PDB file of all heavy atoms in Angstrom:
ATOM      1  N   LYS A 203     -70.001  38.264 130.370  1.00 91.00           N
ATOM      2  CA  LYS A 203     -71.351  38.742 130.681  1.00 91.00           C
ATOM      3  C   LYS A 203     -71.304  40.113 131.352  1.00 91.00           C
ATOM      4  O   LYS A 203     -72.095  41.014 131.025  1.00 91.00           O
ATOM      5  CB  LYS A 203     -72.056  37.727 131.592  1.00 91.00           C
ATOM      6  CG  LYS A 203     -73.494  38.084 131.897  1.00 91.00           C
ATOM      7  CD  LYS A 203     -74.145  36.997 132.754  1.00 91.00           C
ATOM      8  CE  LYS A 203     -75.591  37.369 133.083  1.00 91.00           C
ATOM      9  NZ  LYS A 203     -76.237  36.336 133.935  1.00 91.00           N
ATOM     10  N   ILE A 208     -71.859  46.679 129.842  1.00 86.00           N
ATOM     11  CA  ILE A 208     -71.398  48.056 129.644  1.00 86.00           C
ATOM     12  C   ILE A 208     -72.001  48.649 128.384  1.00 86.00           C
ATOM     13  O   ILE A 208     -72.517  49.767 128.370  1.00 86.00           O
ATOM     14  CB  ILE A 208     -69.854  48.105 129.558  1.00 86.00           C
ATOM     15  CG1 ILE A 208     -69.244  47.599 130.856  1.00 86.00           C
ATOM     16  CG2 ILE A 208     -69.366  49.522 129.246  1.00 86.00           C
ATOM     17  CD1 ILE A 208     -67.736  47.454 130.801  1.00 86.00           C
ATOM     18  N   ASP A 209     -71.930  47.865 127.296  1.00 81.00           N
ATOM     19  CA  ASP A 209     -72.420  48.332 126.002  1.00 81.00           C
ATOM     20  C   ASP A 209     -72.638  47.115 125.112  1.00 81.00           C
ATOM     21  O   ASP A 209     -71.718  46.317 124.908  1.00 81.00           O
ATOM     22  CB  ASP A 209     -71.390  49.282 125.358  1.00 81.00           C
ATOM     23  CG  ASP A 209     -71.930  49.981 124.120  1.00 81.00           C
ATOM     24  OD1 ASP A 209     -72.795  49.398 123.442  1.00 81.00           O
ATOM     25  OD2 ASP A 209     -71.492  51.105 123.831  1.00 81.00           O
ATOM     26  N   ASP A 221     -51.738  30.464 122.248  1.00 91.00           N
ATOM     27  CA  ASP A 221     -51.782  30.373 120.787  1.00 91.00           C
ATOM     28  C   ASP A 221     -53.090  30.908 120.225  1.00 91.00           C
ATOM     29  O   ASP A 221     -53.105  31.642 119.227  1.00 91.00           O
ATOM     30  CB  ASP A 221     -51.582  28.922 120.339  1.00 91.00           C
ATOM     31  CG  ASP A 221     -50.169  28.425 120.613  1.00 91.00           C
ATOM     32  OD1 ASP A 221     -49.274  29.272 120.783  1.00 91.00           O
ATOM     33  OD2 ASP A 221     -49.962  27.198 120.660  1.00 91.00           O
ATOM     34  N   GLU A 222     -54.196  30.555 120.859  1.00 92.00           N
ATOM     35  CA  GLU A 222     -55.503  31.023 120.406  1.00 92.00           C
ATOM     36  C   GLU A 222     -55.608  32.540 120.550  1.00 92.00           C
ATOM     37  O   GLU A 222     -56.121  33.236 119.666  1.00 92.00           O
ATOM     38  CB  GLU A 222     -56.608  30.337 121.204  1.00 92.00           C
ATOM     39  CG  GLU A 222     -58.015  30.632 120.691  1.00 92.00           C
ATOM     40  CD  GLU A 222     -59.084  29.918 121.494  1.00 92.00           C
ATOM     41  OE1 GLU A 222     -58.761  29.342 122.558  1.00 92.00           O
ATOM     42  OE2 GLU A 222     -60.252  29.932 121.053  1.00 92.00           O
ATOM     43  N   ARG A 228     -53.797  38.768 116.000  1.00 89.00           N
ATOM     44  CA  ARG A 228     -53.221  39.076 114.695  1.00 89.00           C
ATOM     45  C   ARG A 228     -54.305  39.278 113.630  1.00 89.00           C
ATOM     46  O   ARG A 228     -54.126  40.069 112.700  1.00 89.00           O
ATOM     47  CB  ARG A 228     -52.271  37.958 114.270  1.00 89.00           C
ATOM     48  CG  ARG A 228     -50.988  37.879 115.111  1.00 89.00           C
ATOM     49  CD  ARG A 228     -50.029  36.832 114.579  1.00 89.00           C
ATOM     50  NE  ARG A 228     -48.803  36.772 115.350  1.00 89.00           N
ATOM     51  CZ  ARG A 228     -48.420  35.728 116.070  1.00 89.00           C
ATOM     52  NH1 ARG A 228     -49.184  34.631 116.111  1.00 89.00           N
ATOM     53  NH2 ARG A 228     -47.292  35.743 116.746  1.00 89.00           N
ATOM     54  N   TYR A 236     -57.913  41.505 128.435  1.00 94.00           N
ATOM     55  CA  TYR A 236     -58.078  41.015 129.801  1.00 94.00           C
ATOM     56  C   TYR A 236     -57.394  39.646 129.842  1.00 94.00           C
ATOM     57  O   TYR A 236     -57.861  38.694 129.210  1.00 94.00           O
ATOM     58  CB  TYR A 236     -59.555  40.877 130.165  1.00 94.00           C
ATOM     59  CG  TYR A 236     -60.312  42.184 130.150  1.00 94.00           C
ATOM     60  CD1 TYR A 236     -60.857  42.681 128.962  1.00 94.00           C
ATOM     61  CD2 TYR A 236     -60.491  42.930 131.314  1.00 94.00           C
ATOM     62  CE1 TYR A 236     -61.550  43.881 128.943  1.00 94.00           C
ATOM     63  CE2 TYR A 236     -61.183  44.124 131.305  1.00 94.00           C
ATOM     64  CZ  TYR A 236     -61.708  44.597 130.113  1.00 94.00           C
ATOM     65  OH  TYR A 236     -62.393  45.792 130.086  1.00 94.00           O
ATOM     66  N   LEU A 241     -52.478  30.683 132.458  1.00 86.00           N
ATOM     67  CA  LEU A 241     -53.227  30.201 131.304  1.00 86.00           C
ATOM     68  C   LEU A 241     -52.930  28.725 131.050  1.00 86.00           C
ATOM     69  O   LEU A 241     -51.951  28.177 131.542  1.00 86.00           O
ATOM     70  CB  LEU A 241     -52.867  31.005 130.045  1.00 86.00           C
ATOM     71  CG  LEU A 241     -53.414  32.415 129.932  1.00 86.00           C
ATOM     72  CD1 LEU A 241     -52.841  33.081 128.688  1.00 86.00           C
ATOM     73  CD2 LEU A 241     -54.933  32.419 129.877  1.00 86.00           C
ATOM     74  N   ILE A 251     -46.151  39.523 126.762  1.00 88.00           N
ATOM     75  CA  ILE A 251     -44.864  39.892 126.157  1.00 88.00           C
ATOM     76  C   ILE A 251     -44.920  39.699 124.644  1.00 88.00           C
ATOM     77  O   ILE A 251     -44.431  40.528 123.875  1.00 88.00           O
ATOM     78  CB  ILE A 251     -43.720  39.069 126.785  1.00 88.00           C
ATOM     79  CG1 ILE A 251     -43.469  39.534 128.226  1.00 88.00           C
ATOM     80  CG2 ILE A 251     -42.434  39.192 125.961  1.00 88.00           C
ATOM     81  CD1 ILE A 251     -42.551  38.633 129.022  1.00 88.00           C
ATOM     82  N   ARG A 254     -47.035  42.471 123.094  1.00 88.00           N
ATOM     83  CA  ARG A 254     -46.285  43.739 123.014  1.00 88.00           C
ATOM     84  C   ARG A 254     -45.328  43.749 121.815  1.00 88.00           C
ATOM     85  O   ARG A 254     -44.969  44.810 121.306  1.00 88.00           O
ATOM     86  CB  ARG A 254     -45.501  43.962 124.300  1.00 88.00           C
ATOM     87  CG  ARG A 254     -46.350  44.386 125.477  1.00 88.00           C
ATOM     88  CD  ARG A 254     -46.883  45.792 125.291  1.00 88.00           C
ATOM     89  NE  ARG A 254     -47.550  46.282 126.489  1.00 88.00           N
ATOM     90  CZ  ARG A 254     -48.741  46.848 126.497  1.00 88.00           C
ATOM     91  NH1 ARG A 254     -49.424  46.968 125.367  1.00 88.00           N
ATOM     92  NH2 ARG A 254     -49.285  47.290 127.612  1.00 88.00           N
ATOM     93  N   GLU A 260     -48.189  47.811 120.805  1.00 83.00           N
ATOM     94  CA  GLU A 260     -47.059  48.254 121.624  1.00 83.00           C
ATOM     95  C   GLU A 260     -47.520  49.045 122.853  1.00 83.00           C
ATOM     96  O   GLU A 260     -46.920  48.966 123.921  1.00 83.00           O
ATOM     97  CB  GLU A 260     -46.104  49.100 120.780  1.00 83.00           C
ATOM     98  CG  GLU A 260     -44.820  49.468 121.475  1.00 83.00           C
ATOM     99  CD  GLU A 260     -43.869  50.239 120.570  1.00 83.00           C
ATOM    100  OE1 GLU A 260     -44.238  50.511 119.409  1.00 83.00           O
ATOM    101  OE2 GLU A 260     -42.764  50.570 121.032  1.00 83.00           O
ATOM    102  N   VAL A 271     -51.297  37.939 143.543  1.00 67.00           N
ATOM    103  CA  VAL A 271     -50.871  39.338 143.609  1.00 67.00           C
ATOM    104  C   VAL A 271     -49.361  39.474 143.492  1.00 67.00           C
ATOM    105  O   VAL A 271     -48.839  40.489 143.028  1.00 67.00           O
ATOM    106  CB  VAL A 271     -51.365  39.987 144.924  1.00 67.00           C
ATOM    107  CG1 VAL A 271     -50.972  41.462 144.976  1.00 67.00           C
ATOM    108  CG2 VAL A 271     -52.870  39.844 145.049  1.00 67.00           C
ATOM    109  N   GLU A 280     -42.470  44.349 133.311  1.00 68.00           N
ATOM    110  CA  GLU A 280     -42.134  43.698 132.043  1.00 68.00           C
ATOM    111  C   GLU A 280     -43.124  44.002 130.924  1.00 68.00           C
ATOM    112  O   GLU A 280     -42.743  44.058 129.755  1.00 68.00           O
ATOM    113  CB  GLU A 280     -42.047  42.184 132.241  1.00 68.00           C
ATOM    114  CG  GLU A 280     -40.898  41.763 133.145  1.00 68.00           C
ATOM    115  CD  GLU A 280     -40.743  40.256 133.197  1.00 68.00           C
ATOM    116  OE1 GLU A 280     -41.264  39.567 132.306  1.00 68.00           O
ATOM    117  OE2 GLU A 280     -40.102  39.766 134.144  1.00 68.00           O
ATOM    118  N   ASP A 295     -66.195  47.278 140.265  1.00 84.00           N
ATOM    119  CA  ASP A 295     -64.828  47.705 139.951  1.00 84.00           C
ATOM    120  C   ASP A 295     -64.479  47.419 138.488  1.00 84.00           C
ATOM    121  O   ASP A 295     -63.862  48.240 137.806  1.00 84.00           O
ATOM    122  CB  ASP A 295     -63.819  46.987 140.854  1.00 84.00           C
ATOM    123  CG  ASP A 295     -63.877  47.494 142.282  1.00 84.00           C
ATOM    124  OD1 ASP A 295     -64.467  48.567 142.506  1.00 84.00           O
ATOM    125  OD2 ASP A 295     -63.345  46.805 143.183  1.00 84.00           O
ATOM    126  N   LEU A 296     -64.871  46.234 138.012  1.00 86.00           N
ATOM    127  CA  LEU A 296     -64.600  45.856 136.623  1.00 86.00           C
ATOM    128  C   LEU A 296     -65.252  46.824 135.649  1.00 86.00           C
ATOM    129  O   LEU A 296     -64.610  47.308 134.710  1.00 86.00           O
ATOM    130  CB  LEU A 296     -65.108  44.439 136.362  1.00 86.00           C
ATOM    131  CG  LEU A 296     -65.108  43.987 134.893  1.00 86.00           C
ATOM    132  CD1 LEU A 296     -63.687  43.826 134.385  1.00 86.00           C
ATOM    133  CD2 LEU A 296     -65.884  42.680 134.735  1.00 86.00           C
ATOM    134  N   ASP A 324     -61.907  56.516  86.676  1.00 88.00           N
ATOM    135  CA  ASP A 324     -63.337  56.565  86.347  1.00 88.00           C
ATOM    136  C   ASP A 324     -64.161  57.197  87.461  1.00 88.00           C
ATOM    137  O   ASP A 324     -65.322  56.818  87.697  1.00 88.00           O
ATOM    138  CB  ASP A 324     -63.877  55.158  86.043  1.00 88.00           C
ATOM    139  CG  ASP A 324     -63.202  54.529  84.827  1.00 88.00           C
ATOM    140  OD1 ASP A 324     -62.915  55.275  83.873  1.00 88.00           O
ATOM    141  OD2 ASP A 324     -62.977  53.308  84.849  1.00 88.00           O
ATOM    142  N   ILE A 326     -63.711  57.005  90.667  1.00 92.00           N
ATOM    143  CA  ILE A 326     -63.869  56.165  91.852  1.00 92.00           C
ATOM    144  C   ILE A 326     -62.698  56.396  92.811  1.00 92.00           C
ATOM    145  O   ILE A 326     -61.534  56.264  92.423  1.00 92.00           O
ATOM    146  CB  ILE A 326     -63.931  54.673  91.477  1.00 92.00           C
ATOM    147  CG1 ILE A 326     -65.126  54.410  90.546  1.00 92.00           C
ATOM    148  CG2 ILE A 326     -64.048  53.803  92.740  1.00 92.00           C
ATOM    149  CD1 ILE A 326     -65.164  53.001  90.001  1.00 92.00           C
ATOM    150  N   TYR A 331     -57.891  51.839 105.240  1.00 91.00           N
ATOM    151  CA  TYR A 331     -57.186  52.008 106.517  1.00 91.00           C
ATOM    152  C   TYR A 331     -55.801  51.381 106.395  1.00 91.00           C
ATOM    153  O   TYR A 331     -55.649  50.244 105.945  1.00 91.00           O
ATOM    154  CB  TYR A 331     -57.966  51.362 107.653  1.00 91.00           C
ATOM    155  CG  TYR A 331     -59.183  52.156 108.071  1.00 91.00           C
ATOM    156  CD1 TYR A 331     -60.460  51.732 107.730  1.00 91.00           C
ATOM    157  CD2 TYR A 331     -59.039  53.334 108.792  1.00 91.00           C
ATOM    158  CE1 TYR A 331     -61.579  52.472 108.096  1.00 91.00           C
ATOM    159  CE2 TYR A 331     -60.138  54.079 109.167  1.00 91.00           C
ATOM    160  CZ  TYR A 331     -61.407  53.648 108.815  1.00 91.00           C
ATOM    161  OH  TYR A 331     -62.498  54.383 109.183  1.00 91.00           O
ATOM    162  N   GLU A 334     -54.945  47.955 107.686  1.00 92.00           N
ATOM    163  CA  GLU A 334     -55.555  46.807 107.011  1.00 92.00           C
ATOM    164  C   GLU A 334     -54.805  46.409 105.742  1.00 92.00           C
ATOM    165  O   GLU A 334     -55.156  45.419 105.101  1.00 92.00           O
ATOM    166  CB  GLU A 334     -57.022  47.101 106.674  1.00 92.00           C
ATOM    167  CG  GLU A 334     -57.907  47.235 107.906  1.00 92.00           C
ATOM    168  CD  GLU A 334     -59.381  47.354 107.569  1.00 92.00           C
ATOM    169  OE1 GLU A 334     -59.701  47.490 106.365  1.00 92.00           O
ATOM    170  OE2 GLU A 334     -60.206  47.307 108.490  1.00 92.00           O
ATOM    171  N   ILE A 342     -45.644  46.995  86.006  1.00 89.00           N
ATOM    172  CA  ILE A 342     -45.896  47.830  84.824  1.00 89.00           C
ATOM    173  C   ILE A 342     -46.820  49.006  85.175  1.00 89.00           C
ATOM    174  O   ILE A 342     -47.908  49.172  84.604  1.00 89.00           O
ATOM    175  CB  ILE A 342     -46.478  47.011  83.648  1.00 89.00           C
ATOM    176  CG1 ILE A 342     -45.690  45.724  83.454  1.00 89.00           C
ATOM    177  CG2 ILE A 342     -46.438  47.838  82.360  1.00 89.00           C
ATOM    178  CD1 ILE A 342     -46.207  44.848  82.334  1.00 89.00           C
ATOM    179  N   VAL A 347     -53.009  47.098  95.767  1.00 97.00           N
ATOM    180  CA  VAL A 347     -52.983  47.175  97.226  1.00 97.00           C
ATOM    181  C   VAL A 347     -53.802  46.019  97.782  1.00 97.00           C
ATOM    182  O   VAL A 347     -55.009  45.942  97.580  1.00 97.00           O
ATOM    183  CB  VAL A 347     -53.555  48.519  97.724  1.00 97.00           C
ATOM    184  CG1 VAL A 347     -53.441  48.620  99.243  1.00 97.00           C
ATOM    185  CG2 VAL A 347     -52.833  49.687  97.058  1.00 97.00           C
ATOM    186  N   GLU A 355     -56.666  48.055  92.485  1.00 95.00           N
ATOM    187  CA  GLU A 355     -55.665  48.389  91.475  1.00 95.00           C
ATOM    188  C   GLU A 355     -55.669  49.885  91.213  1.00 95.00           C
ATOM    189  O   GLU A 355     -56.717  50.478  90.924  1.00 95.00           O
ATOM    190  CB  GLU A 355     -55.940  47.630  90.176  1.00 95.00           C
ATOM    191  CG  GLU A 355     -55.655  46.145  90.267  1.00 95.00           C
ATOM    192  CD  GLU A 355     -55.697  45.471  88.912  1.00 95.00           C
ATOM    193  OE1 GLU A 355     -56.052  46.143  87.912  1.00 95.00           O
ATOM    194  OE2 GLU A 355     -55.358  44.269  88.835  1.00 95.00           O
ATOM    195  N   SER A 370     -46.130  55.121 106.414  1.00 88.00           N
ATOM    196  CA  SER A 370     -46.232  54.298 107.618  1.00 88.00           C
ATOM    197  C   SER A 370     -44.888  53.626 107.895  1.00 88.00           C
ATOM    198  O   SER A 370     -44.249  53.111 106.985  1.00 88.00           O
ATOM    199  CB  SER A 370     -47.309  53.219 107.432  1.00 88.00           C
ATOM    200  OG  SER A 370     -47.253  52.283 108.476  1.00 88.00           O
ATOM    201  N   GLN A 375     -40.568  48.409 102.288  1.00 96.00           N
ATOM    202  CA  GLN A 375     -40.211  47.814 101.002  1.00 96.00           C
ATOM    203  C   GLN A 375     -39.351  46.577 101.227  1.00 96.00           C
ATOM    204  O   GLN A 375     -38.416  46.582 102.030  1.00 96.00           O
ATOM    205  CB  GLN A 375     -39.464  48.818 100.127  1.00 96.00           C
ATOM    206  CG  GLN A 375     -39.195  48.311  98.714  1.00 96.00           C
ATOM    207  CD  GLN A 375     -38.675  49.397  97.788  1.00 96.00           C
ATOM    208  OE1 GLN A 375     -38.565  50.562  98.184  1.00 96.00           O
ATOM    209  NE2 GLN A 375     -38.355  49.028  96.561  1.00 96.00           N
ATOM    210  N   LYS A 378     -37.954  45.344  94.807  1.00 95.00           N
ATOM    211  CA  LYS A 378     -38.210  46.477  93.912  1.00 95.00           C
ATOM    212  C   LYS A 378     -39.685  46.591  93.531  1.00 95.00           C
ATOM    213  O   LYS A 378     -40.150  47.669  93.134  1.00 95.00           O
ATOM    214  CB  LYS A 378     -37.345  46.364  92.652  1.00 95.00           C
ATOM    215  CG  LYS A 378     -37.703  45.204  91.740  1.00 95.00           C
ATOM    216  CD  LYS A 378     -36.803  45.172  90.522  1.00 95.00           C
ATOM    217  CE  LYS A 378     -37.174  44.019  89.575  1.00 95.00           C
ATOM    218  NZ  LYS A 378     -36.276  43.960  88.396  1.00 95.00           N
ATOM    219  N   ASP A 429     -40.815  32.841 111.772  1.00 43.00           N
ATOM    220  CA  ASP A 429     -40.116  31.627 111.350  1.00 43.00           C
ATOM    221  C   ASP A 429     -39.235  31.908 110.137  1.00 43.00           C
ATOM    222  O   ASP A 429     -39.712  32.424 109.138  1.00 43.00           O
ATOM    223  CB  ASP A 429     -41.121  30.537 110.976  1.00 43.00           C
ATOM    224  CG  ASP A 429     -42.012  30.165 112.143  1.00 43.00           C
ATOM    225  OD1 ASP A 429     -41.483  30.154 113.271  1.00 43.00           O
ATOM    226  OD2 ASP A 429     -43.197  29.906 111.924  1.00 43.00           O
ATOM    227  N   SER A 438     -37.695  28.874  93.417  1.00 36.00           N
ATOM    228  CA  SER A 438     -37.515  29.727  92.258  1.00 36.00           C
ATOM    229  C   SER A 438     -37.803  31.154  92.641  1.00 36.00           C
ATOM    230  O   SER A 438     -38.619  31.432  93.513  1.00 36.00           O
ATOM    231  CB  SER A 438     -38.477  29.306  91.129  1.00 36.00           C
ATOM    232  OG  SER A 438     -38.490  30.256  90.101  1.00 36.00           O
ATOM    233  N   ASP A 439     -37.132  32.091  91.982  1.00 37.00           N
ATOM    234  CA  ASP A 439     -37.384  33.485  92.300  1.00 37.00           C
ATOM    235  C   ASP A 439     -38.462  34.088  91.394  1.00 37.00           C
ATOM    236  O   ASP A 439     -38.678  35.294  91.407  1.00 37.00           O
ATOM    237  CB  ASP A 439     -36.078  34.315  92.199  1.00 37.00           C
ATOM    238  CG  ASP A 439     -35.521  34.328  90.781  1.00 37.00           C
ATOM    239  OD1 ASP A 439     -36.133  33.774  89.867  1.00 37.00           O
ATOM    240  OD2 ASP A 439     -34.444  34.943  90.627  1.00 37.00           O
ATOM    241  N   TYR A 442     -38.181  37.480  89.595  1.00 37.00           N
ATOM    242  CA  TYR A 442     -37.882  38.727  90.293  1.00 37.00           C
ATOM    243  C   TYR A 442     -36.432  38.710  90.776  1.00 37.00           C
ATOM    244  O   TYR A 442     -35.851  37.663  90.992  1.00 37.00           O
ATOM    245  CB  TYR A 442     -38.817  38.912  91.486  1.00 37.00           C
ATOM    246  CG  TYR A 442     -40.260  39.137  91.122  1.00 37.00           C
ATOM    247  CD1 TYR A 442     -41.206  38.142  91.353  1.00 37.00           C
ATOM    248  CD2 TYR A 442     -40.661  40.325  90.526  1.00 37.00           C
ATOM    249  CE1 TYR A 442     -42.542  38.341  91.014  1.00 37.00           C
ATOM    250  CE2 TYR A 442     -41.986  40.523  90.190  1.00 37.00           C
ATOM    251  CZ  TYR A 442     -42.919  39.539  90.443  1.00 37.00           C
ATOM    252  OH  TYR A 442     -44.215  39.733  90.111  1.00 37.00           O
TER     253      TYR A 442
END
Side-chain angles (χ1 to χ4, degrees):
K203 184 177 179 181
I208 299 173
D209 189 331
D221 291 340
E222 187 179 10
R228 291 185 179 115
Y236 297 85
L241 286 175
I251 289 169
R254 285 290 188 229
E260 187 177 2
V271 182
E280 294 186 18
D295 288 345
L296 170 68
D324 298 323
I326 300 173
Y331 285 106
E334 293 187 352
I342 314 179
V347 183
E355 289 190 354
S370 170
Q375 186 170 357
K378 67 180 181 181
D429 300 323
S438 169
D439 63 3
Y442 293 108

